[in-house]
Amino acid sequence: RRRSKGYFTFGEPAKALLETYDEMNENGLFLDLLYGAPAWSLLLQHWRTTYDNNDRHGSDCPIAGRQVMYVHSGGLEGIASQLTRYKHKGLMDARTIQLS
């Protein structure tokens, strides 16, 4: 469930987080679903909004015109249990978890 302004309820499985997790994994950046996926989901949301609207100056974007450094601080060992929570919420199937 998404709260206002694109933020997520901490620890609550969300389809948008799973989509970000999958997208980043496909691009070689392995994230956890508790901290990494929400952080990247918001970063990408701001970045895409700015560039999709051709607003290169980013009048509404807090990261426009700035360099962003993301520090990945771990959490990967918990991915299996996080994916199981997504399965129980009906956001993915057991076969997908086994392949991850």
Side-chain angles (χ1 to χ4, degrees):
R1 174 180 94 190
R2 218 172 232 221
R3 295 190 319 190
S4 64
K5 296 190 180 186
Y7 294 98
F8 299 92
T9 301
F10 180 75
E12 182 71 26
K15 185 177 180 179
L17 295 180
L18 190 58
E19 290 169 354
T20 299
Y21 168 84
D22 289 338
E23 178 182 351
M24 299 286 59
N25 278 344
E26 289 170 7
N27 288 295
L29 180 60
F30 301 100
L31 303 173
D32 66 292
L33 286 157
L34 202 56
Y35 297 104
W40 274 97
S41 183
L42 289 172
L43 282 170
L44 291 171
Q45 176 186 333
H46 285 299
W47 183 75
R48 288 177 176 149
T49 299
T50 298
Y51 287 93
D52 287 348
N53 294 331
N54 291 323
D55 184 8
R56 300 282 188 249
H57 301 289
S59 57
D60 292 332
C61 180
I63 62 172
R66 299 174 185 232
Q67 292 183 342
V68 176
M69 179 175 71
Y70 177 77
V71 178
H72 193 299
S73 59
L76 298 179
E77 64 278 352
I79 290 176
S81 64
Q82 294 167 7
L83 290 173
T84 301
R85 293 181 67 228
Y86 276 73
K87 178 188 149 278
H88 289 294
K89 285 283 193 171
L91 296 171
M92 62 187 316
D93 62 23
R95 183 175 178 273
T96 306
I97 292 174
Q98 292 171 354
L99 297 175
S100 297

